[in-house]
Amino acid sequence: MINQKQEQPVFLEPVMKQMVWGGNRLHEIFGYTIPGDDTGECWAVSAHPNGDCVIKNGVHQGEKLSELWEQNRDFFGGITGDRFPLLAKIIDARDDLSIQVHPDDSYALVNENGSYGKTECWYILDAPVGAKLVIGHSAGSKEELAELINEEKWDMLLTSIEVKKGDFIQIDPGTVHAITAGILILEIQQNSDITYRLYDYDRLSDGIKRPLHIDKSLDVIRVPAADPETMVRHCADLEADKMHLLVESAYYKVWKCNVVHGMEIKTEEPFYIVNVVEGDGLFNSEPIKKGDHFIIPGNYGMIKFIGKMELVLSTVSDKK
Ligand code: ZN
């Protein structure tokens, strides 16, 4: 297009969220200013109304990501849609998270005021030795599922797998899941905040139990559950200086890059979200470091990373 101004990448100010299960590693490990020692989530790249990131640099400085999305669709390769499609968070679980499940788009559209459903994936940034994720369940039918839930036979129902730093897990809607104490993850997800809580370990928060959503959970949980081992990919030791596609789902593509010397990428996607999860270096001539999150516009041309760092890149997918 003639005279189209070259957009520059935007760096985002994360939004911190306090949670009963949160901790202080978002400060200790990532150096963010946190509101308290119960900070559970850092919404790193978000245009969601519950945490809309502000742009820190360039001509768009001070704008919210949702505003850039509304007003400047060329930045995002001209793609359509009424909401910015993705959300990237870092989650610090000092304590176990509740056992939960998310709906898909069609269920959320009807039952959650037109919200998107939630497909998500996790890159494990840190985990204690022997850490477990709750993933899936053992019920063979909806009847058995309802019975085990109603009788609160959680040990019989829930299944878990061992994970370690560098593992990557895809969580489709309808998959029962929970992060356990000590795990730190980067989550890439559809832009949605709809979670159904199935079980909260009977914990009290300010003297009361947090509400559960048993009926909706029963509606959306897939039976039988997929084999949890098929959802996990071990990717701590990927070949250096290359883009490794970890998942291409209906909503997003996610890559991991271990930059050791340097690498170049030609932009071929509507945009790239970049999460710097380890180390530091240069992005073209711009210094970047662990904890930085930015979006590279789709028509940017060549991208060059130099330094010693680990990056997670993501973009939208139209593989529906
Ligand atoms: Zn979830």
Side-chain angles (χ1 to χ4, degrees), residues 22-250:
N24 61 7
R25 283 183 296 177
L26 289 165
H27 175 69
E28 298 290 319
I29 294 184
F30 283 93
Y32 302 127
T33 302
I34 56 171
D37 282 343
D38 58 351
T39 305
E41 298 190 352
C42 157
W43 290 26
V45 178
S46 164
H48 193 282
N50 295 351
D52 199 348
C53 295
V54 172
I55 295 165
K56 295 200 283 190
N57 67 311
V59 293
H60 299 294
Q61 189 173 4
E63 287 174 29
K64 290 181 169 165
L65 181 56
S66 64
E67 292 170 325
L68 183 66
W69 172 257
E70 292 286 319
Q71 295 158 15
N72 202 334
R73 205 58 71 85
D74 285 344
F75 186 101
F76 304 96
I79 58 170
T80 55
D82 63 345
R83 277 157 280 188
F84 181 68
L86 301 179
L87 205 167
K89 300 175 178 173
I90 301 173
I91 299 178
D92 174 15
R94 188 201 56 222
D95 212 344
D96 294 334
L97 269 69
S98 60
I99 312 289
Q100 50 185 259
V101 62
H102 306 296
D104 63 12
D105 280 351
S106 55
Y107 188 90
L109 179 69
V110 176
N111 297 283
E112 303 295 345
N113 295 317
S115 172
Y116 286 154
K118 191 168 167 191
T119 301
E120 64 192 33
C121 60
W122 303 337
Y123 183 78
I124 306 224
L125 298 168
D126 198 16
V129 175
K132 288 198 165 153
L133 288 178
V134 175
I135 298 274
H137 62 80
S138 62
S141 65
K142 279 269 177 189
E143 292 70 35
E144 191 186 351
L145 177 71
E147 203 174 289
L148 290 169
I149 290 173
N150 292 332
E151 292 170 11
E152 303 190 54
K153 290 184 172 159
W154 305 110
D155 288 347
M156 276 178 71
L157 177 65
L158 301 171
T159 54
S160 60
I161 50 167
E162 210 168 292
V163 290
K164 57 186 186 305
K165 184 176 179 170
D167 284 351
F168 176 84
I169 299 106
Q170 166 71 10
I171 311 269
D172 288 320
T175 304
V176 173
H177 62 278
I179 303 165
T180 60
I183 293 179
L184 184 74
I185 64 166
L186 173 71
E187 178 179 85
I188 311 287
Q189 56 160 98
Q190 275 182 280
N191 181 0
S192 164
D193 206 12
I194 307 290
T195 293
Y196 301 144
R197 203 176 288 131
L198 178 63
Y199 175 53
D200 200 23
Y201 303 97
D202 299 315
R203 288 181 292 201
L204 300 178
S205 168
D206 293 329
I208 50 166
K209 288 184 186 176
R210 295 192 292 172
L212 301 177
H213 315 96
I214 300 290
D215 290 344
K216 285 181 172 175
S217 295
L218 271 170
D219 282 348
V220 304
I221 293 172
R222 288 193 194 172
V223 183
D227 175 1
E229 295 297 340
T230 64
M231 295 178 221
V232 180
R233 182 167 166 186
H234 308 292
C235 43
D237 302 314
L238 298 170
E239 192 186 341
D241 300 320
K242 278 200 170 136
M243 279 180 94
H244 296 271
L245 184 65
L246 302 184
V247 70
E248 180 171 4
S249 78

